[in-house]
Amino acid sequence: MRELTVLYDSGCALCVRCCDWLGEQRQLVPIRMLACTSEEARSRYGAIPWLGEELVVVSDQGDVWAGPAAFLVCMWTLEEWREWSYTLSTGALAPVAERFFRALSSRRRAIAALLWPDRCEGGTCKLPGAHAPRTAYR
């Protein structure tokens, strides 16, 4: 595996901030960020049933992860978080990690509205000064 594509919700302030954070981390596997509503995402990945509903990660070899599994794969790509991805994906912590991700994901717009109340009506916005997350190769 040489590259992963993260398909994220570009209309969600929390998702945009998380993608920006991912792009700033030291990556062991390069991550390419792609808005799930973009024309490219729809043409290349439109057959993925979770597109637009869940965080989705696709490898350059065609492997697809969604939801909590995609979250762990993102962690796995990061130098500082790889060990945590192993810890959270096995044993007693796996169900905890899944519940955490599902709780965060299902409340992402409300969380964004709490964190950026003056900028994001209902947690959905274009953040001032924010840009579409970039591909970061480190």
Side-chain angles (χ1 to χ4, degrees):
M1 177 179 348
R2 294 176 305 181
E3 180 183 80
L4 291 174
T5 300
V6 175
L7 298 156
Y8 71 98
D9 181 354
S10 63
C12 167
L14 183 61
C15 300
V16 170
R17 295 286 178 140
C18 288
C19 282
D20 282 343
W21 180 83
L22 274 172
E24 294 168 359
Q25 303 305 302
R26 185 161 174 79
Q27 299 169 3
L28 299 172
V29 176
I31 299 174
R32 178 176 181 251
M33 310 318 180
L34 184 61
C36 66
T37 56
S38 70
E39 191 173 310
E40 180 182 355
R42 293 292 174 187
S43 68
R44 291 183 69 192
Y45 306 109
I48 296 174
W50 315 283
L51 191 62
E53 300 298 319
E54 293 272 0
L55 173 65
V56 174
V57 176
V58 181
S59 77
D60 57 345
Q61 298 173 335
D63 299 311
V64 178
W65 298 269
F71 173 73
L72 289 171
V73 169
C74 286
M75 288 180 69
W76 176 83
T77 67
L78 304 177
E79 182 176 17
E80 291 184 42
W81 294 91
R82 183 166 277 187
E83 288 301 316
W84 274 107
S85 74
Y86 293 131
T87 301
L88 294 173
S89 66
T90 58
L93 289 179
V96 174
E98 181 172 353
R99 284 193 301 273
F100 169 77
F101 178 81
R102 292 222 182 273
L104 180 68
S105 182
S106 67
R107 294 170 182 86
R108 62 192 170 144
R109 294 191 193 286
I111 292 167
L114 287 171
L115 295 175
W116 303 287
D118 57 338
R119 297 184 182 155
C120 305
E121 184 177 320
T124 303
C125 67
K126 299 286 185 198
L127 293 171
H131 48 76
R134 64 204 170 281
T135 302
Y137 293 73
R138 297 174 197 225

